[in-house]
Structure formats: C-alpha cells, structure tokens
Amino acid sequence: MSHFGTARALGLETAILEIRRAEDLAPAVEALKGRAEALYVVVDPLVAANGIRINTLALGARLPTMYVFRELVEAGGMMSYGPNVSDLFRRAAELVDKILRGAKPADIPVEQPTKFDLVINLTTARVLGLTIPPTLLTTADELIE
C-alpha cells in the first residue's frame, strides 16, 4: 500500500505538491499554511539541496516535518523514520567485497533494509509547541536536543 493509501485508510487527507525548482518551495509551503497539520517530505536531489530552507519555511508555517532520512532532522526537521543509511553502506561494502573476491553479481540476492531508525528533534517540537507522547519518546532510536 502506498503512503497515500495508508493515509486514506487512517482517515487522513493528503495534498500532493509538485516542486520542480527551488523557487517553488516558498509558495508551496505558504499554500499549506493553515490548511495542513504536518508535512511529509519525499527526499530527492532538490529537497536534499534545500533541506534547511524547507525546514525554515515549515517552521514559519508552523508545520512539523517528517522525513525518511535523519540528516534533514539534524538540519531542523522534526522527525524521520527510515532505513539506517550507515547500515546500508556497510552492507554495500560487504557486497562489493564478495564481488571483488569473485562472486557473480547476478548470484547475490537482492536485500531489503532491515534496520530502521526513528529520530525525533525535540528542539523543533518545542519551537512548534508540540509535546511528544512518552511512548513515542521511548520508541525513538535517537532524540536530538
């Protein structure tokens, strides 16, 4: 089920904003002001290059942000839940080692991530006036203060 299908199943309404250029960011976030309760940001090269700006715009619009990668939470986003990138790189290095030792790439099974991290930026939550439930705090893999 897609993110949007899951949202619908939970009774949440979604709005998709297509951002093609950095100049589209401010008007898009401004359009959400007062209409949205949170912002789930799908990371692509444009988002990665403008992460701090997106977080600043979202804070200005009083929107908590959710990402897949922790780096944008470290840059002021509110939370992320996604694969542990360090673990993925470690696994990639193991696969490269196998190939360099003679394994055929076609014989190596495709793997899915198995380690996922929940990271919460408590400073951003405080700025937004949000209280994170204790059960979520104890579930988090890392809290940023």
Side-chain angles (χ1 to χ4, degrees):
M1 183 180 293
S2 73
H3 296 297
F4 301 108
T6 302
R8 233 177 281 117
L10 293 170
L12 301 173
E13 186 180 329
T14 59
I16 300 171
L17 300 175
E18 291 188 28
I19 310 295
R20 298 185 188 276
R21 310 170 298 142
E23 296 78 23
D24 298 337
L25 291 168
V29 173
E30 186 63 31
L32 293 174
K33 197 183 261 187
R35 292 184 38 222
E37 294 179 34
L39 184 60
Y40 175 73
V41 184
V42 178
V43 177
D44 67 5
L46 177 68
V47 169
N50 291 278
I52 293 172
R53 184 164 181 233
I54 292 168
N55 287 333
T56 301
L57 291 166
L59 280 173
R62 313 289 300 155
L63 291 170
T65 52
M66 176 75 180
Y67 294 97
V68 173
F69 299 112
R70 64 173 296 119
E71 290 76 15
L72 292 168
V73 176
E74 291 170 347
M78 195 174 102
M79 65 175 35
S80 66
Y81 182 72
N84 181 295
V85 176
S86 297
D87 187 56
L88 295 178
F89 285 140
R90 190 173 11 271
R91 290 295 306 139
E94 291 170 10
L95 296 176
V96 168
D97 181 60
K98 285 181 182 183
I99 293 167
L100 292 175
R101 293 177 187 272
K104 293 180 183 175
D107 294 338
I108 299 173
V110 175
E111 297 181 13
Q112 294 288 330
T114 56
K115 183 167 177 25
F116 293 82
D117 291 335
L118 173 63
V119 180
I120 302 171
N121 188 323
L122 296 174
T123 301
T124 300
R126 275 192 294 277
V127 168
L128 291 169
L130 299 174
T131 302
I132 307 296
T135 52
L136 194 55
L137 292 174
T138 59
T139 305
D141 296 285
E142 183 176 350
L143 300 173
I144 297 172
E145 302 242 21

